[in-house]
Amino acid sequence: MSRATALTPDRIAEAALRVGDRDGPPAMSMRRIAAELRCDPMALYRHFADREALLDAVADLAMADVPEPDPAAAWDARLRVLVTAVRDAALRHPGIAGHVASRPPLGAHGRRLGAVMLAALTEAGLPPAKAVQSMQALIAYAAAALAMAVAAGTRDERWHQVSEVFAALPGAPPGAQLHVVGSADQFAFGLRLLLNGIRAEAGLMTGEAGATPGAQ
Amino acid sequence: MSRATALTPDRIAEAALRVGDRDGPPAMSMRRIAAELRCDPMALYRHFADREALLDAVADLAMADVPEPDPAAAWDARLRVLVTAVRDAALRHPGIAGHVASRPPLGAHGRRLGAVMLAALTEAGLPPAKAVQSMQALIAYAAAALAMAVAAGTRDERWHQVSEVFAALPGAPPGAQLHVVGSADQFAFGLRLLLNGIRAEAGLMTGEAGATPGAQ
DNA sequence: ACCTGAACACCGTTCAAGT
DNA sequence: ACCTGAACACCGTTCAAGT
């Protein structure tokens, strides 16, 4: 033990986040993280069951600085600000952003943000079950859009081709102004669609008494 | 070369799909796929640049049997049927479903399905740029929901906890009927939210002449 | 010129050997 | 009892050696 400070889960997660931000996702191996901490790779296993558990902690740590939206704002504005802030926070840590997008938000910060979302959706007028489902839909969309942003920006040029390929299809008129896959614009547009949809769903609940929203 | 048939990209992709369906995603290594074909692992590299390119071909192959929706149906029903069929097709191939969810749909079948989506969105009244953006939002949502279904079903019990954890939060009243993350119900609900949102977006286009839909 | 397979530079994790 | 690090069973890919 040449490190002066003792090994803790938090300290390990911080070191892993540092390694990922500096050297990219593939560098976040148990061996490299241990090297960053100047400890034996196996020492990490005394604080985390396996690599997946360690990365979950790192993903949650990346959400630590997501601010909670102004409680005085309208429910839809609150959701928009929060989900956008999650995307921004993840993109500030490119090493772990892909993992944030692929794992359940069950860490301390993930649960905190989920509670804010649920409160906003309940305020919108959704019953509990639909609020939970709407939250999961928002999480799913945010996760995928985030994963696309990461892939398009750092790893995979093929995502950039998607807009071009589809704009060139028979059905698409020429001259369409394209938005890059994974861009902030594209993210905001899809988020608006979902919030539109939630608003419509909530309207059915509160506006029409005998509505049967489950019917197709 | 003990195999009677010659190596082709299609034949390789079929063998890889078989391996993945039989032994799961981790089994889809270059070595195992080569063993399935009774050829040298390096022989695969003469048909695919790298493993990622091979998996892209497998993911597209898994979309081969997605039927095109009835052209006579309404645009929103067409989108719902198509996106649901993509999910079903991917889940029939658990080995590659996760990859389907993480990669751009740029293969032959992905482009075919994208063209159907674009046509439906254009019919809805969206201008080209918004149709492309809406398609990308649908792809993002479907990919993430699919990834969650795969993770929840085969790999990761933590996704199952999400509904329970959030239903137990202060904001959520008790007795909420929970839908399992990744379930068909949950998928359909989120898809309906997006289609609701697209309908609202299209309504702004056609219904209100001087609307400024980009304003928050 | 083409193809093969040994070798390189890694992995996550197990487990026996040390203290 | 605790900790370490050698070892196991793999990877994707390179590249030199064979034919």
Side-chain angles (χ1 to χ4, degrees):
Chain A
M1 52 174 76
S2 48
R3 262 256 178 258
T5 50
L7 231 49
T8 66
D10 280 350
R11 206 172 293 277
I12 293 171
E14 283 159 19
L17 188 63
R18 215 155 51 226
V19 170
D21 288 349
R22 191 207 309 133
D23 300 326
M28 300 180 74
S29 68
M30 300 303 267
R31 282 167 161 92
R32 296 277 296 267
I33 294 164
E36 174 83 7
L37 289 159
R38 284 162 177 74
C39 73
D40 189 280
M42 289 317 299
L44 305 178
Y45 285 87
R46 304 214 319 114
H47 298 91
F48 295 100
D50 53 22
R51 181 167 177 265
E52 195 83 343
L54 198 167
L55 293 187
D56 285 350
V58 178
D60 197 60
L61 178 62
M63 296 293 101
D65 59 347
V66 173
E68 292 179 26
D70 179 8
W75 67 266
D76 51 350
R78 238 146 67 210
L79 285 173
R80 178 168 44 77
V81 167
L82 179 69
V83 176
T84 304
V86 167
R87 177 180 183 273
D88 293 343
L91 290 182
R92 276 195 294 276
H93 298 289
I96 198 65
H99 194 80
V100 170
S102 76
R103 297 287 297 164
L106 289 176
H109 298 294
R111 288 203 307 274
R112 173 176 64 87
L113 302 175
V116 173
M117 292 175 71
L118 268 190
L121 290 162
T122 300
E123 189 181 309
L126 291 176
K130 283 190 191 300
V132 172
Q133 285 189 298
S134 297
M135 181 191 66
Q136 290 181 8
L138 283 166
I139 291 173
Y141 171 72
L146 177 55
M148 288 178 185
V150 173
T154 67
R155 191 173 41 184
D156 188 352
E157 296 178 12
R158 296 194 75 206
W159 275 113
H160 279 118
Q161 300 172 26
V162 173
S163 293
E164 291 152 35
V165 165
F166 285 106
L169 285 175
Q177 188 190 336
L178 294 184
H179 292 254
V180 175
V181 174
S183 68
D185 273 2
Q186 167 66 37
F187 185 86
F189 182 85
L191 183 53
R192 194 174 75 213
L193 289 185
L194 269 175
L195 292 175
N196 279 353
I198 291 170
R199 208 174 292 114
E201 193 74 27
L204 286 177
M205 293 289 128
T206 59
E208 308 176 22
T212 56
Q216 298 296 349
Chain B
M1 55 173 78
S2 47
R3 261 259 176 258
T5 49
L7 230 50
T8 66
D10 280 349
R11 205 171 293 278
I12 293 170
E14 283 160 18
L17 188 62
R18 216 155 50 226
V19 170
D21 287 349
R22 192 206 309 134
D23 301 325
M28 300 181 72
S29 69
M30 300 303 267
R31 284 167 161 93
R32 296 278 296 267
I33 295 164
E36 175 82 8
L37 288 160
R38 285 161 176 75
C39 73
D40 189 279
M42 289 318 298
L44 305 179
Y45 285 88
R46 305 214 319 113
H47 299 91
F48 294 100
D50 53 22
R51 182 167 176 266
E52 194 83 345
L54 199 167
L55 292 188
D56 285 351
V58 178
D60 197 60
L61 178 63
M63 296 293 100
D65 58 349
V66 173
E68 293 180 24
D70 179 6
W75 67 267
D76 51 352
R78 241 147 65 209
L79 285 173
R80 179 167 43 78
V81 168
L82 178 68
V83 175
T84 305
V86 166
R87 176 179 182 274
D88 294 342
L91 289 182
R92 277 195 293 276
H93 298 288
I96 197 67
H99 194 80
V100 170
S102 76
R103 297 286 299 164
L106 289 175
H109 297 294
R111 288 204 307 275
R112 172 175 65 86
L113 301 176
V116 173
M117 291 176 71
L118 268 189
L121 290 163
T122 300
E123 190 181 308
L126 292 176
K130 282 189 192 300
V132 172
Q133 284 188 299
S134 297
M135 182 191 65
Q136 290 182 8
L138 283 166
I139 292 173
Y141 171 72
L146 177 56
M148 287 178 186
V150 174
T154 68
R155 193 172 39 183
D156 187 351
E157 296 177 13
R158 296 194 76 206
W159 275 113
H160 279 119
Q161 300 174 25
V162 172
S163 293
E164 292 152 35
V165 165
F166 284 107
L169 285 175
Q177 188 192 337
L178 292 185
H179 292 256
V180 175
V181 173
S183 68
D185 273 1
Q186 167 65 38
F187 184 86
F189 182 85
L191 183 54
R192 193 174 76 212
L193 288 186
L194 270 175
L195 292 175
N196 279 352
I198 291 169
R199 205 175 293 114
E201 194 73 28
L204 285 177
M205 293 290 128
T206 58
E208 310 176 19
T212 54
Q216 299 296 348

